[in-house]
């Protein structure tokens, strides 16, 4: 589970900011939230199950998600892809930062052990890298890297790193290059069990766009071949009240496609198959008499397709206890549906899964749904730098305040300052 994700000098963020998933020592208006919305880890620490991120358009909300995506992709690809660091783009509106590295750090839990892993890099090379663990109360370094040198390594608790170094002591090959991470290299070694576990844990964080894309649609379509996943998808769609009774993947042979057929369907047809949805058909006496079939990709609404695309990711997150991050969560969704999904993650039935999302849906800003530490805001200052902060940090906010009303009125910041749009009508 994610405890904290910190990043700095990345896109619109100049200074280091932290997405904090630790539960604050607060009491909510709805006392059940202080039990249902958190995971208690020990007497001192609990983690929150969900986090909503609000802000004006172009404030930098999506850049929070982009920072996490970039962090994960560099870890995953740096050993095999020299251009992995090209994903890094520093804050460009200050001369202080354009020549400085970008900072990434994730604090997370694997079982009862707390890990802190991070690195600094620009688009050309890794500047530093570190891994710490806290198996009990005291944090210990496993390795610390400065440029291409491991300056500290734990001889007792990080034997795989020590062994890897010894194997290459007399080799002409470098342990790693300017553009690759030590952790990523260790993941490729058979005996590096801890590094593999950390690599797998970080890589397992699912990050998707609420706007959807072809890859998500394909994954959802492939999920229909698994009976358990298909049942979850159908149950999800039925509970969302879209009227679909069944979904099937049908093999087809017709290759003459009209221009009206959408891209998702065209991609399916190239593979010789199409997803068909079915609904109940009624006669004149409103008696069910059979089923009517529809081309899912071409005839269903955008909201229904988004539910379909998201469903396998929600399934995996809840089943395997993995974090799910969704950018533009509320896009194409009715407010009642977004609320139900948030309630699902905040329920007592959810024992280990976290949901992080960006949104404009103020319907979710309710003390009956979210704790104050579950609500973040992103706001740009007059110098173009984004800042991330939590509602619980704002002094004077009562636990029974109208979060939605106060946010719209600008009491928490992170709203647009709009001009008079009626002036646009004058064309003289």
């Amino acid at each position: 589970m994610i405890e904290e994700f910190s990043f700095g000098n990345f896109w619109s963020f100049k200074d280091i900011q932290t997405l904090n998933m630790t539960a604050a020592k607060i009491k909510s208006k709805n006392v059940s939230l202080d039990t249902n919305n958190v995971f208690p880890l020990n007497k001192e620490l609990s983690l929150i199950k969900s986090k909503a991120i609000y802000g004006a358009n172009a404030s930098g909300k999506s850049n929070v998600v982009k920072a996490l995506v970039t962090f994960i992709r560099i870890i995953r690809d740096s050993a095999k892809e020299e251009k992995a660091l090209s994903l890094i783009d520093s804050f460009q509106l200050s001369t202080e930062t354009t020549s400085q590295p970008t900072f990434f750090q994730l604090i997370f839990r694997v079982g009862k052990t707390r890990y802190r892993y991070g690195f600094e890099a620009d688009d050309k090379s890794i500047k530093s890298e570190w891994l710490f663990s806290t198996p009990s109360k005291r944090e210990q370094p496993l390795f610390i890297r400065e440029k291409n040198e491991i300056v500290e390594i734990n001889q007792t608790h990080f034997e795989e790193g020590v062994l890897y170094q010894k194997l290459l002591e007399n080799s002409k090959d470098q342990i790693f290059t300017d553009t690759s991470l030590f952790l990523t290299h260790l993941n490729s070694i058979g005996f590096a069990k801890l590094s593999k576990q950390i690599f797998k844990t970080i890589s397992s964080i699912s990050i998707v766009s609420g706007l959807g894309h072809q890859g998500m649609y394909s994954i959802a379509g492939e999920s229909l071949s698994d009976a358990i996943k298909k049942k979850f998808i159908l149950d999800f769609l039925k509970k969302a009240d879209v009227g679909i009774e069944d979904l099937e993947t049908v093999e087809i042979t017709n290759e003459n496609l009209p221009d009206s057929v959408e891209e998702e369907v065209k991609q399916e047809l190239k593979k010789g198959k199409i997803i068909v949805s079915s609904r109940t058909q009624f006669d004149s006496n409103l008696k069910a008499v059979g089923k009517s079939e529809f081309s899912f990709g071409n005839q269903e609404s955008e909201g229904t397709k988004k539910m379909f695309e998201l469903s396998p990711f929600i399934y995996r997150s809840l089943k395997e206890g993995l974090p799910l991050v969704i950018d533009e969560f509320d896009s194409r969704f009715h407010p009642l549906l977004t609320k139900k999904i948030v309630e699902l993650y905040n329920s007592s039935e959810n024992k280990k899964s976290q949901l992080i999302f960006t949104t404009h849906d103020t319907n979710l800003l309710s003390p009956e749904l979210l704790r104050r530490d579950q609500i973040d805001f992103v706001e740009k200052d007059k110098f173009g730098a984004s800042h991330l902060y939590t509602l619980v940090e704002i002094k004077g906010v009562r636990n029974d305040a109208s979060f939605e009303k106060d946010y719209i009125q600008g009491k928490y910041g992170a709203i647009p300052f709009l001009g008079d749009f009626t002036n646009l009508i004058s064309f003289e």
Side-chain angles (χ1 to χ4, degrees), residues 213-227:
H213 56 72
Q214 180 58 38
M216 290 175 64
Y217 188 85
S218 297
I219 290 171
E222 292 167 2
S223 298
L224 296 178
S225 61
D226 183 301

Side-chain angles (χ1 to χ4, degrees), residues 46-59:
S46 295
L47 301 182
I48 54 176
K49 295 182 178 181
S50 64
K51 173 78 80 172
I53 305 173
Y54 287 86
N57 293 111
S59 63

Side-chain angles (χ1 to χ4, degrees), residues 5-14 17 19 53-54 56-71 87 89-93 102-104 207 325-328 357-358 378-380 384-388:
F5 174 61
S6 300
F7 58 99
N9 192 21
F10 180 80
W11 284 68
S12 62
F13 289 91
K14 177 184 177 184
Q17 310 288 308
L19 179 68
I53 305 173
Y54 287 86
N57 293 111
S59 63
K61 295 190 305 301
S62 293
N63 290 341
V64 177
V65 178
K66 190 174 292 184
L68 186 55
V69 169
T70 300
F71 173 73
L87 296 169
D89 196 347
S90 62
F91 182 74
Q92 297 294 309
L93 300 181
T102 294
F103 175 94
F104 297 108
I207 305 176
V325 183
I326 307 175
D327 193 20
E328 301 287 355
F357 59 93
T358 69
V378 178
E379 183 175 57
K380 273 187 179 178
S386 298
H387 299 270
L388 177 67

Side-chain angles (χ1 to χ4, degrees), residues 28 45 47 82 98 108 127 140 150 168 204 216 222 241 249 251 261 283 290 325 343 368 394 396:
S28 303
L45 179 67
L47 301 182
E82 291 184 2
T98 52
F108 57 100
K127 307 301 182 184
Q140 60 187 12
I150 301 298
L168 296 176
S204 70
M216 290 175 64
E222 292 167 2
D241 194 29
T249 301
E251 298 290 334
V261 174
D283 63 15
V325 183
E343 287 177 340
E368 296 295 331
I394 302 175

Side-chain angles (χ1 to χ4, degrees), residues 198-240:
I198 291 172
F199 181 94
K200 181 180 178 181
T201 299
I202 296 175
S203 300
S204 70
I205 299 172
S206 292
I207 305 176
V208 297
S209 171
L211 299 175
H213 56 72
Q214 180 58 38
M216 290 175 64
Y217 188 85
S218 297
I219 290 171
E222 292 167 2
S223 298
L224 296 178
S225 61
D226 183 301
I228 297 176
K229 291 180 182 178
K230 178 180 177 179
K231 183 180 184 303
F232 180 89
I233 292 171
L234 282 173
D235 287 346
F236 184 63
L237 293 175
K238 288 175 182 177
K239 289 181 184 297

Side-chain angles (χ1 to χ4, degrees), residues 18-239:
T18 298
L19 179 68
N20 194 340
M21 298 297 287
T22 60
K25 305 293 185 182
I26 59 174
K27 292 184 179 179
S28 303
K29 175 187 176 183
N30 182 352
V31 294
S32 67
L33 302 189
D34 299 333
T35 302
N36 293 339
N37 292 25
V38 302
F39 301 109
L41 298 182
N42 51 54
K43 293 181 180 180
E44 292 79 30
L45 179 67
S46 295
L47 301 182
I48 54 176
K49 295 182 178 181
S50 64
K51 173 78 80 172
I53 305 173
Y54 287 86
N57 293 111
S59 63
K61 295 190 305 301
S62 293
N63 290 341
V64 177
V65 178
K66 190 174 292 184
L68 186 55
V69 169
T70 300
F71 173 73
I72 294 171
R73 285 185 178 175
I74 291 174
I75 293 171
R76 188 186 64 197
D77 299 335
S78 68
K80 59 184 179 182
E81 176 56 66
E82 291 184 2
K83 296 182 179 179
L85 296 182
S86 65
L87 296 169
I88 291 177
D89 196 347
S90 62
F91 182 74
Q92 297 294 309
L93 300 181
S94 171
T95 55
E96 295 179 72
T97 55
T98 52
S99 60
Q100 296 299 312
T102 294
F103 175 94
F104 297 108
Q105 178 175 273
L106 183 69
I107 300 175
F108 57 100
R109 298 271 168 167
V110 179
K112 295 182 179 180
T113 303
R114 177 184 189 261
Y115 292 98
R116 178 165 66 89
Y117 173 73
F119 58 88
E120 289 184 300
D122 57 23
D123 60 353
K124 296 181 177 61
S125 64
I126 307 293
K127 307 301 182 184
S128 61
E129 184 183 1
W130 57 90
L131 175 62
F132 290 77
S133 72
T134 310
S136 55
K137 292 184 178 180
R138 188 174 181 178
E139 185 180 65
Q140 60 187 12
L142 296 184
F143 75 82
I144 300 174
R145 164 191 181 178
E146 294 293 339
K147 295 186 177 179
N148 277 9
E149 181 182 358
I150 301 298
V151 297
E152 184 174 347
I153 195 161
N154 193 313
Q155 300 287 328
T156 304
H157 298 101
F158 200 57
E159 295 179 64
E160 62 197 50
V162 176
L163 180 58
Y164 186 45
Q165 280 190 305
K166 289 181 178 179
L167 289 174
L168 296 176
E169 273 182 358
N170 300 319
S171 172
K172 295 180 181 180
D173 297 327
Q174 288 181 286
I175 294 179
F176 42 72
T177 64
D178 289 347
T179 59
S180 61
L181 295 166
F182 188 42
L183 177 69
T184 311
H185 273 281
L186 286 172
N187 175 67
S188 64
I189 306 301
F191 56 76
K193 293 183 179 180
L194 177 56
S195 297
K196 285 181 178 295
Q197 185 182 42
I198 291 172
F199 181 94
K200 181 180 178 181
T201 299
I202 296 175
S203 300
S204 70
I205 299 172
S206 292
I207 305 176
V208 297
S209 171
L211 299 175
H213 56 72
Q214 180 58 38
M216 290 175 64
Y217 188 85
S218 297
I219 290 171
E222 292 167 2
S223 298
L224 296 178
S225 61
D226 183 301
I228 297 176
K229 291 180 182 178
K230 178 180 177 179
K231 183 180 184 303
F232 180 89
I233 292 171
L234 282 173
D235 287 346
F236 184 63
L237 293 175
K238 288 175 182 177
K239 289 181 184 297

